[in-house]
Amino acid sequence: MSDSTTSLQAPENKNIYIRRLVLAVVLLNLLVYVLAAVWLRHSWNHLQTGVSTSTQNIALVLENSIDGMIGKIDVAVTGVLAEAEENHARGKIDRKELDHHISRQCLAVPELDSIRMTDSEGRVLYGKDTATSPPVTISDREYFQFLRDNPRAGMYISRPFFGRISKAWVFAVARRVNHPDGSFAGVVYGVVPIELFTRLFSSLDVGRDGAISLRDTNLAVIARFPEPDGVGSSVGQRSTMKEFVDLTRAGKLAGTFSGPSSFDRISRIFSYRKITNLPFYVVVGQSINEMRIVWRTEAIALISMILLFSAVTVMFSLKLVRAWQQEKRIDSELRNLNQQLEARVMDRTAELSTINQLLQIELAGHKRTEAELDRRTAEIEHFIYTVSHDLRSPLVTVKTFLGYLGQDITSGDRERADKDMEFIHSAANRMEALLNELLEVSRIGRENQPHEAVGLRDLVAEALDAVAGQITAGRVDVRVNGCDMTLRGDRRRLLQIWQNLLDNAVKYMGNQPSALIEIGCEDLQGERVYFVRDNGIGIAPEYQDRIFGIFEQLDRQSSGFGMGLTMVRRIVETYDGRIWVESAGKGQGSCFRFTLPGAEQSHIHRCQE
């Protein structure tokens, strides 16, 4: 009777076990699917936020750039206006003198195609390419008519038009010229080529399908990039994007929206800004499809792992069922096989645990990636803020001394005018140097230079030759611990690591009576670590993390822009390495240590002293 009861219960127990196992596997896979869906949604939102931030920052930079450019142009036009009205006050315009003054103003503002001036009838008589018979007339131009009819008008920016003299698409920055009695004497205007903005926009990285446009207050195109049919082919086309139109009508000076472009129907995330005190909107768009490709790559990788996980759990479940059936079938006959079966179950459980651990590691890796993206976003925001600040300073200097220059030229003070030009030239040189260094930093990691085998000893020797003058002047003793090894990578970038660290060590050596720099490498806990050590002024602990940031300088009076260590850090990171500084504090010297696993050969001799 007992055996019969057991026989009846066995199929029922088997069905309950299988149902529970299937339920557990389904619930486990559903949990994984839900977590994956949440992560994919978060990843998409994070990418959208990143693209929105990028377009907003580019629009802000363009707003400042265009505002400064138009400001310089207006200063030049105002200078010619003052000269012309002074001529009118004397009763006669000296054409040679006025044309010469116009030429000087144009040379000071390279963004201008030319500055020209008309008489009260609209005949263009002064400036570049105006010696024609009969003279070109612009009396039909809207900016001429507006300034003629509005005695109190200030600067006026025209709609784009095809120049009758320049034979290109341009717009005018114009001001009214008055006789001494206040009556209308003509118009002086600066000719700004549309191509200038096309070149500016093309220099910015907004992706393969990105777009940048400059529009007037009616949302009509002034300049656009890209422009497949040539410069000026889209001038005057108005935006039909409803959200953009609604935002501007609501008086929003800046905003972000998405949708298909009215120009090429490509869906993009757009950010726009109204340029302060100017009738311009700058609009920057990045392709949603490009963002979708990045997201789709991440999604495919995650889905592949989920499918693999599902396959493993199903296979594991089937094996559990078979093992359970086998155990119940032979339990009464072969007790000794029970231990083997339990061992197999434990092994399979260990496999599942390992897979779960791998998934946890992968999720942790994604979190680190998100943290790195947040850090890079913060770094870009700091970068843009700092660049805007450092570029504004020389621009302000140029604008200020252009004003002084106009006053000194008017007063005939040649000596002071020459000094004004020296200040302007110095500010322009500083701005050019800053832009060159920024361009150099931005290229790191994006260049496709061929890699080559480079001896570390040769790199160090070349770096020492580059800073030999500073070393000799500072009476610095340099000691090199021989590292007979070979690196593989971009020789110029690898050289910049040691050269910048050596230059930094010499620059901040201080007044050490026995200045010393040590260069070498060592094996620490199975890792190859390179170092440049000095006994200079040292670095306080609170500055040791900040010095690798862009534009960070311990001594603001020192030369340069604070980008040397930033460049070193980025080069090291392109070779999957890391860099840090060790210093006991002020006056205790510094030791910069870094790794370059991505540049090391598969067989490298150990560091030797």
Side-chain angles (χ1 to χ4, degrees):
M1 184 66 178
S2 176
D3 291 341
S4 177
T5 302
T6 303
S7 298
L8 291 172
Q9 290 178 344
E12 184 179 352
N13 291 338
K14 175 182 177 182
N15 291 334
I16 292 174
Y17 177 77
I18 291 175
R19 284 197 297 269
R20 289 178 177 175
L21 182 61
V22 170
L23 180 61
V25 171
V26 170
L27 289 176
L28 179 61
N29 279 272
L30 282 176
L31 177 61
V32 173
Y33 295 158
V34 169
L35 290 175
V38 170
W39 185 90
L40 287 173
R41 180 64 179 173
H42 176 74
S43 176
W44 177 254
N45 291 337
H46 188 75
L47 281 172
Q48 284 185 312
T49 301
V51 171
S52 297
T53 301
S54 175
T55 55
Q56 290 165 7
N57 290 335
I58 293 174
L60 176 61
V61 170
L62 286 173
E63 178 191 8
N64 292 332
S65 177
I66 295 172
D67 183 41
M69 183 191 305
I70 297 300
K72 290 195 302 179
I73 291 171
D74 186 48
V75 169
V77 170
T78 303
V80 174
L81 170 65
E83 182 70 17
E85 290 186 343
E86 184 178 335
N87 273 252
H88 278 301
R90 291 198 299 263
K92 180 182 180 183
I93 291 183
D94 186 332
R95 180 187 183 92
K96 182 177 180 181
E97 179 184 344
L98 185 58
D99 281 346
H100 181 64
H101 185 76
I102 290 174
S103 297
R104 291 203 309 272
Q105 295 292 349
C106 289
L107 288 175
V109 186
E111 292 87 353
L112 278 171
D113 175 74
S114 61
I115 298 177
R116 300 187 177 98
M117 194 178 86
T118 73
D119 61 11
S120 60
E121 301 299 322
R123 291 172 295 194
V124 183
L125 301 178
Y126 309 99
K128 178 182 176 183
D129 299 330
T130 58
T132 60
S133 180
V136 173
T137 179
I138 62 166
S139 60
D140 59 329
R141 298 291 194 195
E142 42 89 15
Y143 63 91
F144 178 86
Q145 295 172 359
F146 178 85
L147 291 172
R148 179 194 62 196
D149 300 336
N150 292 272
R152 297 182 180 276
M155 178 183 70
Y156 185 86
I157 298 178
S158 74
R159 292 191 294 269
F161 57 87
F162 192 80
R164 292 167 181 163
I165 298 177
S166 60
K167 305 301 181 184
W169 282 98
V170 297
F171 67 84
V173 177
R175 283 186 176 271
R176 174 187 170 112
V177 182
N178 289 325
H179 286 294
D181 61 359
S183 62
F184 181 63
V187 169
V188 59
Y189 63 97
V191 181
V192 185
I194 300 299
E195 186 180 5
L196 173 69
F197 297 93
T198 304
R199 290 198 305 270
L200 173 63
F201 297 162
S202 67
S203 67
L204 299 173
D205 183 9
V206 291
R208 184 187 62 187
D209 292 328
I212 304 176
S213 63
L214 183 68
R215 295 176 180 270
D216 60 22
T217 52
N218 295 319
L219 306 187
V221 172
I222 296 173
R224 188 185 190 278
F225 177 83
E227 203 160 18
D229 297 329
V231 176
S233 60
S234 62
V235 167
Q237 294 182 10
R238 293 191 178 184
S239 174
T240 58
M241 290 183 286
K242 183 177 183 303
E243 190 171 357
F244 184 27
V245 173
D246 291 344
L247 285 170
T248 55
R249 284 179 178 174
K252 302 294 184 180
L253 300 181
T256 299
F257 61 94
S258 62
S261 170
S262 57
F263 182 80
D264 53 18
R265 310 310 299 170
I266 294 177
S267 293
R268 298 183 176 92
I269 292 178
F270 294 94
S271 289
Y272 76 91
R273 292 188 70 88
K274 171 69 169 62
I275 301 179
T276 307
N277 299 324
L278 295 178
F280 294 148
Y281 287 95
V282 59
V283 186
V284 180
Q286 289 188 307
S287 171
I288 293 178
N289 188 52
E290 291 183 24
M291 180 179 69
R292 189 177 289 116
I293 291 173
V294 175
W295 179 81
R296 190 177 295 144
T297 301
E298 296 179 356
I300 290 173
L302 182 60
I303 291 171
S304 298
M305 288 188 292
I306 293 173
L307 293 176
L308 177 62
F309 174 78
S310 297
V312 170
T313 54
V314 170
M315 293 175 61
F316 180 70
S317 301
L318 291 174
K319 288 185 178 182
L320 281 179
V321 171
R322 291 169 185 166
W324 183 82
Q325 291 173 336
Q326 181 180 5
E327 179 186 3
K328 292 300 180 182
R329 187 172 59 251
I330 67 175
D331 181 63
S332 60
E333 300 175 3
L334 302 170
R335 294 284 185 179
N336 59 323
L337 292 179
N338 185 52
Q339 294 180 351
Q340 298 179 16
L341 185 59
E342 289 178 354
R344 290 180 62 189
V345 172
M346 290 178 64
D347 289 342
R348 301 306 180 206
T349 304
E351 289 181 14
L352 182 60
S353 176
T354 301
I355 291 172
N356 284 330
Q357 290 176 2
L358 290 175
L359 285 174
Q360 292 297 325
I361 292 172
E362 186 69 22
L363 288 173
H366 283 300
K367 290 180 179 179
R368 288 194 297 271
T369 300
E370 291 178 7
E372 179 63 16
L373 285 173
D374 291 339
R375 185 183 71 81
R376 290 300 178 103
T377 300
E379 184 178 279
I380 289 173
E381 291 175 353
H382 174 67
F383 170 83
I384 292 175
Y385 172 79
T386 309
V387 168
S388 299
H389 179 271
D390 283 24
L391 282 178
R392 186 178 295 276
S393 178
L395 283 174
V396 169
T397 299
V398 171
K399 290 173 63 177
T400 300
F401 279 93
L402 277 173
Y404 292 160
L405 180 62
Q407 296 173 7
D408 295 337
I409 290 176
T410 301
S411 63
D413 191 335
R414 178 69 181 183
E415 181 180 352
R416 292 193 61 178
D418 289 341
K419 289 183 178 179
D420 294 340
M421 290 296 293
E422 290 176 7
F423 277 109
I424 294 170
H425 184 69
S426 175
N429 286 342
R430 178 172 176 80
M431 185 160 49
E432 181 183 18
L434 173 60
L435 291 173
N436 287 338
E437 290 208 20
L438 288 173
L439 183 60
E440 183 70 11
V441 171
S442 69
R443 287 173 175 164
I444 296 174
R446 298 192 299 156
E447 300 169 310
N448 191 21
Q449 297 296 329
H451 285 194
E452 59 180 294
V454 185
L456 177 57
R457 189 181 297 277
D458 295 336
L459 277 178
V460 172
E462 191 171 343
L464 287 171
D465 288 343
V467 297
Q470 299 97 299
I471 290 174
T472 301
R475 298 181 179 179
V476 181
D477 182 17
V478 180
R479 299 177 187 174
V480 180
N481 297 327
C483 292
D484 296 326
M485 57 178 296
T486 301
L487 301 176
R488 186 167 187 82
D490 184 341
R491 180 187 186 95
R492 185 171 73 90
R493 291 301 186 196
L494 291 172
L495 175 61
Q496 285 176 332
I497 296 175
W498 276 272
Q499 184 174 331
N500 280 332
L501 290 177
L502 283 170
D503 181 73
N504 197 67
V506 175
K507 183 186 296 184
Y508 296 104
M509 181 60 68
N511 298 320
Q512 292 291 343
S514 300
L516 173 64
I517 297 176
E518 295 179 87
I519 307 168
C521 65
E522 54 192 355
D523 292 316
L524 298 178
Q525 300 178 346
E527 184 179 30
R528 178 65 42 76
V529 178
Y530 308 87
F531 65 85
V532 175
R533 182 187 297 122
D534 64 71
N535 63 343
I537 64 174
I539 303 172
E542 60 268 24
Y543 296 109
Q544 291 180 12
D545 289 333
R546 291 174 48 191
I547 59 174
F548 295 102
I550 193 165
F551 301 118
E552 293 290 349
Q553 292 177 287
L554 292 179
D555 182 5
R556 290 293 181 179
Q557 303 302 317
S558 62
S559 61
F561 297 98
M563 286 190 280
L565 290 179
T566 301
M567 184 180 298
V568 171
R569 186 198 70 192
R570 293 202 177 180
I571 297 172
V572 168
E573 289 175 351
T574 61
Y575 290 98
D576 302 322
R578 56 195 179 91
I579 184 169
W580 66 98
V581 63
E582 298 172 355
S583 176
K586 190 172 182 180
Q588 301 299 314
S590 306
C591 181
F592 286 83
R593 296 183 182 273
F594 56 97
T595 63
L596 295 169
E600 294 174 353
Q601 300 276 38
S602 58
H603 60 87
I604 304 176
H605 300 295
R606 294 183 62 81
C607 291
Q608 302 173 351
E609 292 194 0

